[in-house]
Amino acid sequence: MTLIGIEEHWMLPELTSALKAVPQPDESLHFNERGDVGERLEDLGAGRIATMDAQGIDLAVLALTPPGTQALPPAEAVALSRLANDTATEAVRTRPTRFRSLSTLPISSPGHVATELERAAAQGHVGTMVYGRSGDRFLDDPAYEDFFAAAADLRQPVFIHPQIPSEELRDAAYRGFDPMTDLGLATFGWGWHLEAATAALRLILRGTFDRHPDLQIVLGHWGELLPFWLDRADSLSRLAGLDRPISDYVRTNVFLTASGMLNPALLHHALTVTTTDRLIFSTDYPFQQPTRAEIDTFFGHLPTDRHKVRSANAAALLGIDTAA
């Protein structure tokens, strides 16, 4: 049975250099340099394929690793987004039976986002990965309306990936310990996931899915905490003047991925708020590297419809012909 893994991260060396050169580099870049992670991120060849084979993953959907290009000045973000998309396109062309890719967009240059999405889609990218904020501009800002219209029209799913909180928020809530604990609290330990969940919730409250009912978004890490708070979040619908509860948008416009968190308790909770039709497998490679045995054990906790979570849902959402 085919296994598709989405959110399989990679990194462009030129982007790493550019991100380190900005006045205040994103501290989450530290995670790209631990152990052999940097080497694995830059490998779009034999080493990555060997890991996929060992895990039993037939097809990987590549996505540029955080923090993407949104932290760069507009012109640089545009240029490096194009280079990243061209590089990923070549990787897919070289190994068409093993790779697909999500595009990278210059979120810091709103006027170029829809144009680059269209260019990348024409190259064969099957969706895109973005972040919830660029500087002080949130993803639900009207400046991105053309982007979401294009994504819906082109049927390009939008993966909203976590990002580090703003400096102001970090000062208010994520500092006061030693530097590494500060960073962990603001990223993988807590802050990353609240950032992504808030971005998705703001899109719903902004009426984005009422204007673009065909738009689909993807949230990693079992929904970035949002599915665990829907009883309370539903109360926001009336205040925002929405026609439907927040939970209804989650069930119709949001897909959830595992992101390597293969805890059956998280799977079972996800199934209390959505269905197997909305779940997609991912490992969050190379930050998580579950073994084939761990992956098989995880799927053993799915009572039915394993094929949907293994490949069918991703194939349908991303337009991938698994038979080919």
Side-chain angles (χ1 to χ4, degrees):
M1 188 186 299
T2 301
L3 180 58
I4 296 176
I6 75 169
E7 194 188 2
E8 302 284 312
H9 290 293
W10 71 284
M11 189 52 163
L12 187 71
E14 294 89 340
L15 177 58
T16 297
S17 298
L19 289 167
K20 288 182 176 180
V22 300
Q24 191 166 4
D26 188 314
E27 288 185 64
S28 63
L29 285 168
H30 291 310
F31 300 130
N32 298 354
E33 299 172 344
R34 299 182 65 188
D36 65 352
V37 168
E39 180 181 347
R40 288 177 179 270
L41 284 170
E42 293 182 8
D43 178 15
L44 295 177
R48 185 179 291 260
I49 295 295
T51 299
M52 291 168 56
D53 289 343
Q55 293 176 315
I57 295 176
D58 299 290
L59 186 112
V61 181
L62 305 171
L64 197 70
T65 199
T69 62
Q70 96 283 344
L72 298 174
E76 197 169 11
V78 171
L80 283 169
S81 294
R82 290 177 64 93
L83 178 59
N85 291 333
D86 292 345
T87 301
T89 297
E90 179 60 20
V92 174
R93 187 196 66 78
T94 303
R95 291 179 169 83
T97 63
R98 305 307 302 271
F99 292 152
R100 292 295 185 274
S101 60
L102 301 180
S103 63
T104 299
L105 300 178
I107 298 298
S108 61
S109 182
H112 292 91
V113 175
T115 301
E116 184 57 23
L117 177 74
E118 293 165 356
R119 191 184 79 91
Q123 288 182 322
H125 291 258
V126 295
T128 190
M129 178 176 281
V130 301
Y131 301 83
R133 172 183 46 79
S134 179
D136 295 328
R137 182 183 286 117
F138 290 106
L139 193 59
D140 60 285
D141 190 285
Y144 298 117
E145 180 65 16
D146 289 347
F147 158 55
F148 286 113
D153 184 58
L154 295 169
R155 297 194 177 276
Q156 289 273 293
V158 178
F159 196 125
I160 302 177
H161 196 279
Q163 70 185 125
I164 200 165
S166 67
E167 282 298 303
E168 294 79 7
L169 184 52
R170 289 190 69 189
D171 285 341
Y174 293 102
R175 289 197 165 106
F177 304 94
D178 63 272
M180 287 309 296
T181 302
D182 286 354
L183 180 59
L185 180 63
T187 55
F188 65 85
W190 193 250
W192 264 351
H193 312 294
L194 291 181
E195 289 288 299
T198 302
L201 185 56
R202 287 182 63 100
L203 285 174
I204 295 172
L205 293 173
R206 189 71 69 181
T208 306
F209 300 102
D210 293 329
R211 295 190 301 277
H212 310 293
D214 293 332
L215 178 67
Q216 298 294 318
I217 66 171
V218 183
L219 292 175
H221 309 99
W222 296 108
E224 310 293 3
L225 302 175
L226 183 57
F228 300 89
W229 207 247
L230 287 178
D231 285 353
R232 299 287 280 184
D234 273 343
S235 301
L236 293 169
S237 294
R238 178 177 54 82
L239 299 178
L242 300 177
D243 294 332
R244 297 185 284 154
I246 300 295
S247 55
D248 196 35
Y249 294 95
V250 170
R251 284 190 290 269
T252 58
N253 296 93
V254 181
F255 283 80
L256 311 180
T257 80
S259 299
M261 300 172 66
L262 305 185
N263 183 339
L266 300 176
L267 165 66
H268 294 152
H269 184 272
L271 290 174
T272 68
V273 297
T274 191
T275 68
T276 51
D277 293 331
R278 289 274 152 181
L279 304 184
I280 294 177
F281 178 76
S282 70
T283 66
D284 203 11
Y285 179 84
F287 305 103
Q288 304 289 336
Q289 299 179 38
T291 65
R292 183 191 289 252
E294 289 170 333
I295 291 171
D296 290 343
T297 297
F298 165 73
F299 280 108
H301 292 285
L302 264 172
T304 59
D305 295 334
R306 293 178 190 172
H307 71 288
K308 291 183 178 180
V309 183
R310 287 182 65 92
S311 62
N313 293 341
L317 176 67
L318 303 173
I320 297 172
D321 184 357
T322 55

